[in-house]
Amino acid sequence: KSLGDLIRWGLERKTPEIVRIDLSDDYRQQDLESPDPYLVWIGHATFLLNTGENRILFDPIFSDRASFSTLVGPQRIIPPAIAISELPRIDAVLISHNHYDHLDTRSLEQLHQINPDTIFMVPDGDKVHLRRAGIVNVHEFDWWESLRLHGMEFTFTPAQHWSSRTFFDRNKSLWGGWFVREDRYAFFHAGDTGYSEDFVDIRKKLGNVDYAMIPIGAYDPRWFMSYQHVNPEEAVAIARDINADVSFGMHWGTFVLTDEPIMEPKKRVEAAAALASIDFRVPTPGMVYFLD
């Protein structure tokens, strides 16, 4: 969108009433090093995936603000469900794109300090941000590029979005999602995206998905957001397009980024999933979901 569109949205914005979603401390009753596979939503687009042998973090943001600064920018309305200090050993960190609510260098630097052997996977053009933070185990990916690591295959997939961290680097790096396949399961994290034919292509090229993580929030006003962020009904359409057995909603309830009421994404995606007879769950942050 143009600068004029951005100004128009700013003038017309109606900030939603702050409502804090529930968190769970279920993870404290579980062994996060368990050989039994599980998923935990930590908040926003941050998921902890344990395949039984490997532990993967998607889009980790543990900072109080999604910003270049600790003083300005969108502030969390809920804390991370699991603190960095409580995480199990992380084998790989996957980043979907470089917006501050997905690529948080403060969090990445902490994760690297805790475990220098962690592998970081980023879109083409984003390695520089991690190198500046002193992180060296970094792989960059073009769309459809894959890497085999620890008995798993990681593929970076296209999405309908954009990238930028300053006024001068718009679309200088890629954006997308992650398809992760291991012996028993295939996982998909959609990152940030508008609705497109990409998801049909992903299924055709890479196969069906067992467990998907799909954004359901940050979609209003539609005239401004529809290209870059799906609404709940489109999130359910993504789950259908990739033929996901089970989908989990994300990218809501953590930061106030757009205009929709905070609880609306959950209500709308549950209604749309029921109508479509699709297993689409809205997880509680901190709840451990063991995989079948």
Side-chain angles (χ1 to χ4, degrees), residues 132-166:
R132 287 171 183 162
I135 302 170
V136 295
N137 296 332
V138 186
H139 296 269
E140 282 189 325
F141 288 73
D142 198 350
W143 288 321
W144 301 118
E145 190 172 356
S146 297
L147 173 70
R148 292 199 62 84
L149 181 72
H150 303 319
M152 309 181 71
E153 185 173 48
F154 300 86
T155 303
F156 188 54
T157 58
Q160 184 172 287
H161 201 58
W162 56 288
S163 67
S164 177
R165 288 175 79 80
T166 72

PDB file of all heavy atoms in Angstrom, residues 132-166:
ATOM      1  N   ARG A 132      25.033  -9.679  12.451  1.00  0.00           N
ATOM      2  CA  ARG A 132      25.281  -8.501  13.277  1.00  0.00           C
ATOM      3  C   ARG A 132      25.072  -8.801  14.753  1.00  0.00           C
ATOM      4  O   ARG A 132      25.651  -8.123  15.613  1.00  0.00           O
ATOM      5  CB  ARG A 132      24.356  -7.363  12.847  1.00  0.00           C
ATOM      6  CG  ARG A 132      24.729  -6.722  11.516  1.00  0.00           C
ATOM      7  CD  ARG A 132      23.653  -5.761  11.068  1.00  0.00           C
ATOM      8  NE  ARG A 132      23.960  -5.177   9.766  1.00  0.00           N
ATOM      9  CZ  ARG A 132      23.056  -4.594   8.997  1.00  0.00           C
ATOM     10  NH1 ARG A 132      21.785  -4.509   9.391  1.00  0.00           N
ATOM     11  NH2 ARG A 132      23.409  -4.095   7.824  1.00  0.00           N
ATOM     12  N   ALA A 133      24.228  -9.790  15.054  1.00  0.00           N
ATOM     13  CA  ALA A 133      23.983 -10.190  16.441  1.00  0.00           C
ATOM     14  C   ALA A 133      24.970 -11.252  16.910  1.00  0.00           C
ATOM     15  O   ALA A 133      24.834 -11.773  18.020  1.00  0.00           O
ATOM     16  CB  ALA A 133      22.551 -10.707  16.589  1.00  0.00           C
ATOM     17  N   GLY A 134      25.951 -11.594  16.074  1.00  0.00           N
ATOM     18  CA  GLY A 134      26.969 -12.554  16.463  1.00  0.00           C
ATOM     19  C   GLY A 134      26.591 -14.001  16.232  1.00  0.00           C
ATOM     20  O   GLY A 134      27.251 -14.911  16.740  1.00  0.00           O
ATOM     21  N   ILE A 135      25.530 -14.240  15.433  1.00  0.00           N
ATOM     22  CA  ILE A 135      25.063 -15.604  15.165  1.00  0.00           C
ATOM     23  C   ILE A 135      25.683 -16.073  13.861  1.00  0.00           C
ATOM     24  O   ILE A 135      25.555 -15.413  12.823  1.00  0.00           O
ATOM     25  CB  ILE A 135      23.526 -15.644  15.082  1.00  0.00           C
ATOM     26  CG1 ILE A 135      22.914 -15.130  16.394  1.00  0.00           C
ATOM     27  CG2 ILE A 135      23.035 -17.053  14.779  1.00  0.00           C
ATOM     28  CD1 ILE A 135      21.421 -14.906  16.329  1.00  0.00           C
ATOM     29  N   VAL A 136      26.350 -17.232  13.895  1.00  0.00           N
ATOM     30  CA  VAL A 136      27.097 -17.694  12.721  1.00  0.00           C
ATOM     31  C   VAL A 136      26.471 -18.922  12.060  1.00  0.00           C
ATOM     32  O   VAL A 136      26.697 -19.165  10.871  1.00  0.00           O
ATOM     33  CB  VAL A 136      28.566 -17.986  13.085  1.00  0.00           C
ATOM     34  CG1 VAL A 136      29.269 -16.693  13.502  1.00  0.00           C
ATOM     35  CG2 VAL A 136      28.674 -19.019  14.197  1.00  0.00           C
ATOM     36  N   ASN A 137      25.702 -19.710  12.809  1.00  0.00           N
ATOM     37  CA  ASN A 137      25.105 -20.929  12.237  1.00  0.00           C
ATOM     38  C   ASN A 137      23.810 -20.586  11.510  1.00  0.00           C
ATOM     39  O   ASN A 137      22.712 -20.914  11.954  1.00  0.00           O
ATOM     40  CB  ASN A 137      24.821 -21.948  13.343  1.00  0.00           C
ATOM     41  CG  ASN A 137      26.080 -22.426  14.022  1.00  0.00           C
ATOM     42  OD1 ASN A 137      27.144 -22.437  13.420  1.00  0.00           O
ATOM     43  ND2 ASN A 137      25.968 -22.811  15.283  1.00  0.00           N
ATOM     44  N   VAL A 138      23.932 -19.899  10.366  1.00  0.00           N
ATOM     45  CA  VAL A 138      22.774 -19.363   9.658  1.00  0.00           C
ATOM     46  C   VAL A 138      22.748 -19.885   8.226  1.00  0.00           C
ATOM     47  O   VAL A 138      23.766 -19.853   7.522  1.00  0.00           O
ATOM     48  CB  VAL A 138      22.791 -17.821   9.627  1.00  0.00           C
ATOM     49  CG1 VAL A 138      21.500 -17.285   9.008  1.00  0.00           C
ATOM     50  CG2 VAL A 138      22.997 -17.252  11.022  1.00  0.00           C
ATOM     51  N   HIS A 139      21.571 -20.358   7.792  1.00  0.00           N
ATOM     52  CA  HIS A 139      21.352 -20.771   6.407  1.00  0.00           C
ATOM     53  C   HIS A 139      20.269 -19.882   5.803  1.00  0.00           C
ATOM     54  O   HIS A 139      19.205 -19.692   6.402  1.00  0.00           O
ATOM     55  CB  HIS A 139      20.899 -22.236   6.339  1.00  0.00           C
ATOM     56  CG  HIS A 139      21.921 -23.214   6.829  1.00  0.00           C
ATOM     57  ND1 HIS A 139      22.844 -23.804   6.001  1.00  0.00           N
ATOM     58  CD2 HIS A 139      22.164 -23.695   8.078  1.00  0.00           C
ATOM     59  CE1 HIS A 139      23.615 -24.616   6.708  1.00  0.00           C
ATOM     60  NE2 HIS A 139      23.218 -24.569   7.972  1.00  0.00           N
ATOM     61  N   GLU A 140      20.531 -19.349   4.606  1.00  0.00           N
ATOM     62  CA  GLU A 140      19.544 -18.559   3.882  1.00  0.00           C
ATOM     63  C   GLU A 140      18.850 -19.428   2.824  1.00  0.00           C
ATOM     64  O   GLU A 140      19.478 -20.323   2.240  1.00  0.00           O
ATOM     65  CB  GLU A 140      20.201 -17.370   3.173  1.00  0.00           C
ATOM     66  CG  GLU A 140      20.535 -16.210   4.081  1.00  0.00           C
ATOM     67  CD  GLU A 140      20.979 -14.985   3.290  1.00  0.00           C
ATOM     68  OE1 GLU A 140      21.637 -15.155   2.244  1.00  0.00           O
ATOM     69  OE2 GLU A 140      20.676 -13.856   3.722  1.00  0.00           O
ATOM     70  N   PHE A 141      17.565 -19.125   2.567  1.00  0.00           N
ATOM     71  CA  PHE A 141      16.778 -19.942   1.650  1.00  0.00           C
ATOM     72  C   PHE A 141      16.063 -19.086   0.612  1.00  0.00           C
ATOM     73  O   PHE A 141      15.458 -18.061   0.940  1.00  0.00           O
ATOM     74  CB  PHE A 141      15.705 -20.722   2.418  1.00  0.00           C
ATOM     75  CG  PHE A 141      16.228 -21.847   3.264  1.00  0.00           C
ATOM     76  CD1 PHE A 141      16.914 -21.580   4.444  1.00  0.00           C
ATOM     77  CD2 PHE A 141      16.038 -23.165   2.887  1.00  0.00           C
ATOM     78  CE1 PHE A 141      17.391 -22.609   5.226  1.00  0.00           C
ATOM     79  CE2 PHE A 141      16.511 -24.202   3.669  1.00  0.00           C
ATOM     80  CZ  PHE A 141      17.195 -23.924   4.844  1.00  0.00           C
ATOM     81  N   ASP A 142      16.103 -19.561  -0.620  1.00  0.00           N
ATOM     82  CA  ASP A 142      15.214 -19.058  -1.659  1.00  0.00           C
ATOM     83  C   ASP A 142      13.911 -19.860  -1.572  1.00  0.00           C
ATOM     84  O   ASP A 142      13.853 -20.907  -0.917  1.00  0.00           O
ATOM     85  CB  ASP A 142      15.874 -19.246  -3.030  1.00  0.00           C
ATOM     86  CG  ASP A 142      15.259 -18.383  -4.109  1.00  0.00           C
ATOM     87  OD1 ASP A 142      14.193 -17.768  -3.867  1.00  0.00           O
ATOM     88  OD2 ASP A 142      15.824 -18.342  -5.213  1.00  0.00           O
ATOM     89  N   TRP A 143      12.857 -19.378  -2.225  1.00  0.00           N
ATOM     90  CA  TRP A 143      11.609 -20.140  -2.268  1.00  0.00           C
ATOM     91  C   TRP A 143      11.846 -21.517  -2.895  1.00  0.00           C
ATOM     92  O   TRP A 143      12.544 -21.659  -3.890  1.00  0.00           O
ATOM     93  CB  TRP A 143      10.554 -19.388  -3.060  1.00  0.00           C
ATOM     94  CG  TRP A 143      10.019 -18.177  -2.349  1.00  0.00           C
ATOM     95  CD1 TRP A 143       9.755 -18.056  -1.018  1.00  0.00           C
ATOM     96  CD2 TRP A 143       9.689 -16.914  -2.920  1.00  0.00           C
ATOM     97  NE1 TRP A 143       9.279 -16.792  -0.730  1.00  0.00           N
ATOM     98  CE2 TRP A 143       9.221 -16.079  -1.879  1.00  0.00           C
ATOM     99  CE3 TRP A 143       9.743 -16.405  -4.228  1.00  0.00           C
ATOM    100  CZ2 TRP A 143       8.808 -14.762  -2.100  1.00  0.00           C
ATOM    101  CZ3 TRP A 143       9.327 -15.096  -4.448  1.00  0.00           C
ATOM    102  CH2 TRP A 143       8.869 -14.288  -3.394  1.00  0.00           C
ATOM    103  N   TRP A 144      11.289 -22.527  -2.270  1.00  0.00           N
ATOM    104  CA  TRP A 144      11.346 -23.940  -2.679  1.00  0.00           C
ATOM    105  C   TRP A 144      12.708 -24.568  -2.396  1.00  0.00           C
ATOM    106  O   TRP A 144      12.895 -25.748  -2.681  1.00  0.00           O
ATOM    107  CB  TRP A 144      10.982 -24.129  -4.149  1.00  0.00           C
ATOM    108  CG  TRP A 144       9.611 -23.629  -4.489  1.00  0.00           C
ATOM    109  CD1 TRP A 144       9.292 -22.630  -5.365  1.00  0.00           C
ATOM    110  CD2 TRP A 144       8.365 -24.107  -3.970  1.00  0.00           C
ATOM    111  NE1 TRP A 144       7.935 -22.447  -5.422  1.00  0.00           N
ATOM    112  CE2 TRP A 144       7.339 -23.336  -4.579  1.00  0.00           C
ATOM    113  CE3 TRP A 144       8.011 -25.102  -3.056  1.00  0.00           C
ATOM    114  CZ2 TRP A 144       5.998 -23.533  -4.298  1.00  0.00           C
ATOM    115  CZ3 TRP A 144       6.667 -25.295  -2.777  1.00  0.00           C
ATOM    116  CH2 TRP A 144       5.670 -24.520  -3.395  1.00  0.00           C
ATOM    117  N   GLU A 145      13.628 -23.826  -1.812  1.00  0.00           N
ATOM    118  CA  GLU A 145      14.925 -24.418  -1.467  1.00  0.00           C
ATOM    119  C   GLU A 145      14.777 -25.253  -0.198  1.00  0.00           C
ATOM    120  O   GLU A 145      14.046 -24.881   0.724  1.00  0.00           O
ATOM    121  CB  GLU A 145      15.965 -23.329  -1.260  1.00  0.00           C
ATOM    122  CG  GLU A 145      17.384 -23.859  -1.128  1.00  0.00           C
ATOM    123  CD  GLU A 145      18.424 -22.756  -1.105  1.00  0.00           C
ATOM    124  OE1 GLU A 145      18.061 -21.572  -1.257  1.00  0.00           O
ATOM    125  OE2 GLU A 145      19.607 -23.095  -0.924  1.00  0.00           O
ATOM    126  N   SER A 146      15.498 -26.392  -0.150  1.00  0.00           N
ATOM    127  CA  SER A 146      15.383 -27.321   0.974  1.00  0.00           C
ATOM    128  C   SER A 146      16.750 -27.607   1.585  1.00  0.00           C
ATOM    129  O   SER A 146      17.790 -27.452   0.940  1.00  0.00           O
ATOM    130  CB  SER A 146      14.750 -28.646   0.521  1.00  0.00           C
ATOM    131  OG  SER A 146      13.437 -28.458   0.060  1.00  0.00           O
ATOM    132  N   LEU A 147      16.707 -28.049   2.838  1.00  0.00           N
ATOM    133  CA  LEU A 147      17.911 -28.470   3.556  1.00  0.00           C
ATOM    134  C   LEU A 147      17.561 -29.685   4.396  1.00  0.00           C
ATOM    135  O   LEU A 147      16.530 -29.698   5.093  1.00  0.00           O
ATOM    136  CB  LEU A 147      18.416 -27.342   4.461  1.00  0.00           C
ATOM    137  CG  LEU A 147      19.572 -27.695   5.413  1.00  0.00           C
ATOM    138  CD1 LEU A 147      20.856 -27.908   4.620  1.00  0.00           C
ATOM    139  CD2 LEU A 147      19.768 -26.605   6.465  1.00  0.00           C
ATOM    140  N   ARG A 148      18.383 -30.718   4.325  1.00  0.00           N
ATOM    141  CA  ARG A 148      18.209 -31.884   5.187  1.00  0.00           C
ATOM    142  C   ARG A 148      19.129 -31.724   6.397  1.00  0.00           C
ATOM    143  O   ARG A 148      20.323 -31.463   6.254  1.00  0.00           O
ATOM    144  CB  ARG A 148      18.522 -33.184   4.452  1.00  0.00           C
ATOM    145  CG  ARG A 148      17.511 -33.511   3.362  1.00  0.00           C
ATOM    146  CD  ARG A 148      17.569 -34.976   2.969  1.00  0.00           C
ATOM    147  NE  ARG A 148      17.242 -35.854   4.079  1.00  0.00           N
ATOM    148  CZ  ARG A 148      15.995 -36.190   4.444  1.00  0.00           C
ATOM    149  NH1 ARG A 148      14.965 -35.693   3.783  1.00  0.00           N
ATOM    150  NH2 ARG A 148      15.794 -37.004   5.461  1.00  0.00           N
ATOM    151  N   LEU A 149      18.546 -31.889   7.585  1.00  0.00           N
ATOM    152  CA  LEU A 149      19.297 -31.680   8.818  1.00  0.00           C
ATOM    153  C   LEU A 149      18.671 -32.523   9.917  1.00  0.00           C
ATOM    154  O   LEU A 149      17.442 -32.518  10.094  1.00  0.00           O
ATOM    155  CB  LEU A 149      19.253 -30.201   9.208  1.00  0.00           C
ATOM    156  CG  LEU A 149      19.995 -29.783  10.464  1.00  0.00           C
ATOM    157  CD1 LEU A 149      21.507 -29.838  10.222  1.00  0.00           C
ATOM    158  CD2 LEU A 149      19.585 -28.371  10.888  1.00  0.00           C
ATOM    159  N   HIS A 150      19.486 -33.250  10.657  1.00  0.00           N
ATOM    160  CA  HIS A 150      19.009 -34.057  11.791  1.00  0.00           C
ATOM    161  C   HIS A 150      17.863 -34.992  11.388  1.00  0.00           C
ATOM    162  O   HIS A 150      16.914 -35.188  12.135  1.00  0.00           O
ATOM    163  CB  HIS A 150      18.543 -33.156  12.934  1.00  0.00           C
ATOM    164  CG  HIS A 150      19.571 -32.201  13.448  1.00  0.00           C
ATOM    165  ND1 HIS A 150      20.891 -32.552  13.633  1.00  0.00           N
ATOM    166  CD2 HIS A 150      19.474 -30.898  13.816  1.00  0.00           C
ATOM    167  CE1 HIS A 150      21.562 -31.517  14.094  1.00  0.00           C
ATOM    168  NE2 HIS A 150      20.733 -30.499  14.206  1.00  0.00           N
ATOM    169  N   GLY A 151      17.946 -35.568  10.193  1.00  0.00           N
ATOM    170  CA  GLY A 151      16.915 -36.500   9.753  1.00  0.00           C
ATOM    171  C   GLY A 151      15.619 -35.846   9.324  1.00  0.00           C
ATOM    172  O   GLY A 151      14.601 -36.532   9.155  1.00  0.00           O
ATOM    173  N   MET A 152      15.620 -34.518   9.112  1.00  0.00           N
ATOM    174  CA  MET A 152      14.432 -33.790   8.705  1.00  0.00           C
ATOM    175  C   MET A 152      14.736 -32.995   7.439  1.00  0.00           C
ATOM    176  O   MET A 152      15.883 -32.684   7.150  1.00  0.00           O
ATOM    177  CB  MET A 152      13.970 -32.846   9.821  1.00  0.00           C
ATOM    178  CG  MET A 152      13.832 -33.501  11.169  1.00  0.00           C
ATOM    179  SD  MET A 152      13.260 -32.351  12.442  1.00  0.00           S
ATOM    180  CE  MET A 152      11.569 -32.140  11.907  1.00  0.00           C
ATOM    181  N   GLU A 153      13.671 -32.673   6.697  1.00  0.00           N
ATOM    182  CA  GLU A 153      13.816 -31.827   5.514  1.00  0.00           C
ATOM    183  C   GLU A 153      13.047 -30.534   5.728  1.00  0.00           C
ATOM    184  O   GLU A 153      11.842 -30.557   6.013  1.00  0.00           O
ATOM    185  CB  GLU A 153      13.315 -32.532   4.262  1.00  0.00           C
ATOM    186  CG  GLU A 153      13.563 -31.730   2.995  1.00  0.00           C
ATOM    187  CD  GLU A 153      13.230 -32.499   1.739  1.00  0.00           C
ATOM    188  OE1 GLU A 153      12.139 -33.093   1.684  1.00  0.00           O
ATOM    189  OE2 GLU A 153      14.063 -32.516   0.810  1.00  0.00           O
ATOM    190  N   PHE A 154      13.738 -29.417   5.580  1.00  0.00           N
ATOM    191  CA  PHE A 154      13.155 -28.092   5.760  1.00  0.00           C
ATOM    192  C   PHE A 154      13.068 -27.416   4.390  1.00  0.00           C
ATOM    193  O   PHE A 154      14.075 -27.287   3.698  1.00  0.00           O
ATOM    194  CB  PHE A 154      14.036 -27.247   6.682  1.00  0.00           C
ATOM    195  CG  PHE A 154      14.225 -27.819   8.057  1.00  0.00           C
ATOM    196  CD1 PHE A 154      15.227 -28.748   8.303  1.00  0.00           C
ATOM    197  CD2 PHE A 154      13.397 -27.437   9.105  1.00  0.00           C
ATOM    198  CE1 PHE A 154      15.413 -29.280   9.570  1.00  0.00           C
ATOM    199  CE2 PHE A 154      13.576 -27.964  10.376  1.00  0.00           C
ATOM    200  CZ  PHE A 154      14.580 -28.887  10.612  1.00  0.00           C
ATOM    201  N   THR A 155      11.861 -26.988   4.019  1.00  0.00           N
ATOM    202  CA  THR A 155      11.656 -26.328   2.728  1.00  0.00           C
ATOM    203  C   THR A 155      11.003 -24.977   2.953  1.00  0.00           C
ATOM    204  O   THR A 155       9.980 -24.879   3.650  1.00  0.00           O
ATOM    205  CB  THR A 155      10.776 -27.179   1.803  1.00  0.00           C
ATOM    206  OG1 THR A 155      11.361 -28.471   1.629  1.00  0.00           O
ATOM    207  CG2 THR A 155      10.618 -26.507   0.438  1.00  0.00           C
ATOM    208  N   PHE A 156      11.582 -23.949   2.362  1.00  0.00           N
ATOM    209  CA  PHE A 156      11.041 -22.594   2.464  1.00  0.00           C
ATOM    210  C   PHE A 156      10.058 -22.390   1.322  1.00  0.00           C
ATOM    211  O   PHE A 156      10.390 -22.595   0.150  1.00  0.00           O
ATOM    212  CB  PHE A 156      12.178 -21.577   2.387  1.00  0.00           C
ATOM    213  CG  PHE A 156      11.758 -20.157   2.659  1.00  0.00           C
ATOM    214  CD1 PHE A 156      11.080 -19.830   3.823  1.00  0.00           C
ATOM    215  CD2 PHE A 156      12.057 -19.153   1.753  1.00  0.00           C
ATOM    216  CE1 PHE A 156      10.706 -18.519   4.074  1.00  0.00           C
ATOM    217  CE2 PHE A 156      11.697 -17.841   2.002  1.00  0.00           C
ATOM    218  CZ  PHE A 156      11.008 -17.518   3.173  1.00  0.00           C
ATOM    219  N   THR A 157       8.834 -22.002   1.654  1.00  0.00           N
ATOM    220  CA  THR A 157       7.764 -21.931   0.671  1.00  0.00           C
ATOM    221  C   THR A 157       7.314 -20.482   0.449  1.00  0.00           C
ATOM    222  O   THR A 157       7.429 -19.640   1.346  1.00  0.00           O
ATOM    223  CB  THR A 157       6.554 -22.768   1.127  1.00  0.00           C
ATOM    224  OG1 THR A 157       6.096 -22.285   2.399  1.00  0.00           O
ATOM    225  CG2 THR A 157       6.928 -24.242   1.243  1.00  0.00           C
ATOM    226  N   PRO A 158       6.774 -20.160  -0.724  1.00  0.00           N
ATOM    227  CA  PRO A 158       6.333 -18.790  -1.003  1.00  0.00           C
ATOM    228  C   PRO A 158       5.060 -18.429  -0.259  1.00  0.00           C
ATOM    229  O   PRO A 158       4.302 -19.292   0.180  1.00  0.00           O
ATOM    230  CB  PRO A 158       6.115 -18.792  -2.518  1.00  0.00           C
ATOM    231  CG  PRO A 158       5.849 -20.211  -2.865  1.00  0.00           C
ATOM    232  CD  PRO A 158       6.640 -21.039  -1.896  1.00  0.00           C
ATOM    233  N   ALA A 159       4.839 -17.141  -0.126  1.00  0.00           N
ATOM    234  CA  ALA A 159       3.630 -16.593   0.492  1.00  0.00           C
ATOM    235  C   ALA A 159       3.344 -15.242  -0.148  1.00  0.00           C
ATOM    236  O   ALA A 159       4.192 -14.694  -0.864  1.00  0.00           O
ATOM    237  CB  ALA A 159       3.802 -16.443   2.003  1.00  0.00           C
ATOM    238  N   GLN A 160       2.161 -14.713   0.115  1.00  0.00           N
ATOM    239  CA  GLN A 160       1.791 -13.399  -0.411  1.00  0.00           C
ATOM    240  C   GLN A 160       1.948 -12.377   0.714  1.00  0.00           C
ATOM    241  O   GLN A 160       1.044 -12.145   1.505  1.00  0.00           O
ATOM    242  CB  GLN A 160       0.342 -13.433  -0.907  1.00  0.00           C
ATOM    243  CG  GLN A 160      -0.101 -12.127  -1.560  1.00  0.00           C
ATOM    244  CD  GLN A 160      -1.448 -12.259  -2.207  1.00  0.00           C
ATOM    245  OE1 GLN A 160      -1.579 -12.886  -3.255  1.00  0.00           O
ATOM    246  NE2 GLN A 160      -2.470 -11.689  -1.576  1.00  0.00           N
ATOM    247  N   HIS A 161       3.123 -11.789   0.776  1.00  0.00           N
ATOM    248  CA  HIS A 161       3.414 -10.850   1.851  1.00  0.00           C
ATOM    249  C   HIS A 161       4.479  -9.872   1.364  1.00  0.00           C
ATOM    250  O   HIS A 161       4.542  -9.562   0.168  1.00  0.00           O
ATOM    251  CB  HIS A 161       3.860 -11.618   3.104  1.00  0.00           C
ATOM    252  CG  HIS A 161       3.704 -10.850   4.380  1.00  0.00           C
ATOM    253  ND1 HIS A 161       2.510 -10.350   4.818  1.00  0.00           N
ATOM    254  CD2 HIS A 161       4.615 -10.502   5.329  1.00  0.00           C
ATOM    255  CE1 HIS A 161       2.671  -9.711   5.958  1.00  0.00           C
ATOM    256  NE2 HIS A 161       3.953  -9.787   6.298  1.00  0.00           N
ATOM    257  N   TRP A 162       5.379  -9.411   2.246  1.00  0.00           N
ATOM    258  CA  TRP A 162       6.425  -8.461   1.889  1.00  0.00           C
ATOM    259  C   TRP A 162       7.423  -8.415   3.038  1.00  0.00           C
ATOM    260  O   TRP A 162       7.216  -9.060   4.072  1.00  0.00           O
ATOM    261  CB  TRP A 162       5.848  -7.065   1.605  1.00  0.00           C
ATOM    262  CG  TRP A 162       5.039  -6.482   2.745  1.00  0.00           C
ATOM    263  CD1 TRP A 162       3.799  -6.889   3.156  1.00  0.00           C
ATOM    264  CD2 TRP A 162       5.415  -5.401   3.593  1.00  0.00           C
ATOM    265  NE1 TRP A 162       3.379  -6.127   4.215  1.00  0.00           N
ATOM    266  CE2 TRP A 162       4.333  -5.202   4.507  1.00  0.00           C
ATOM    267  CE3 TRP A 162       6.525  -4.563   3.677  1.00  0.00           C
ATOM    268  CZ2 TRP A 162       4.357  -4.210   5.496  1.00  0.00           C
ATOM    269  CZ3 TRP A 162       6.545  -3.575   4.654  1.00  0.00           C
ATOM    270  CH2 TRP A 162       5.471  -3.406   5.543  1.00  0.00           C
ATOM    271  N   SER A 163       8.504  -7.674   2.850  1.00  0.00           N
ATOM    272  CA  SER A 163       9.517  -7.582   3.905  1.00  0.00           C
ATOM    273  C   SER A 163      10.021  -6.152   4.008  1.00  0.00           C
ATOM    274  O   SER A 163      10.017  -5.406   3.032  1.00  0.00           O
ATOM    275  CB  SER A 163      10.686  -8.533   3.616  1.00  0.00           C
ATOM    276  OG  SER A 163      11.404  -8.114   2.466  1.00  0.00           O
ATOM    277  N   SER A 164      10.443  -5.792   5.208  1.00  0.00           N
ATOM    278  CA  SER A 164      11.059  -4.478   5.447  1.00  0.00           C
ATOM    279  C   SER A 164      11.362  -4.340   6.923  1.00  0.00           C
ATOM    280  O   SER A 164      10.564  -4.749   7.765  1.00  0.00           O
ATOM    281  CB  SER A 164      10.123  -3.343   5.009  1.00  0.00           C
ATOM    282  OG  SER A 164      10.706  -2.093   5.301  1.00  0.00           O
ATOM    283  N   ARG A 165      12.516  -3.744   7.232  1.00  0.00           N
ATOM    284  CA  ARG A 165      12.842  -3.369   8.608  1.00  0.00           C
ATOM    285  C   ARG A 165      13.135  -1.880   8.739  1.00  0.00           C
ATOM    286  O   ARG A 165      13.186  -1.355   9.841  1.00  0.00           O
ATOM    287  CB  ARG A 165      14.036  -4.190   9.125  1.00  0.00           C
ATOM    288  CG  ARG A 165      13.682  -5.635   9.386  1.00  0.00           C
ATOM    289  CD  ARG A 165      14.876  -6.464   9.776  1.00  0.00           C
ATOM    290  NE  ARG A 165      15.292  -6.319  11.149  1.00  0.00           N
ATOM    291  CZ  ARG A 165      14.719  -6.926  12.186  1.00  0.00           C
ATOM    292  NH1 ARG A 165      13.660  -7.695  12.013  1.00  0.00           N
ATOM    293  NH2 ARG A 165      15.207  -6.766  13.410  1.00  0.00           N
ATOM    294  N   THR A 166      13.341  -1.217   7.601  1.00  0.00           N
ATOM    295  CA  THR A 166      13.585   0.227   7.582  1.00  0.00           C
ATOM    296  C   THR A 166      12.828   0.818   6.397  1.00  0.00           C
ATOM    297  O   THR A 166      12.172   0.100   5.634  1.00  0.00           O
ATOM    298  CB  THR A 166      15.081   0.551   7.428  1.00  0.00           C
ATOM    299  OG1 THR A 166      15.483   0.240   6.089  1.00  0.00           O
ATOM    300  CG2 THR A 166      15.932  -0.243   8.416  1.00  0.00           C
TER     301      THR A 166
END
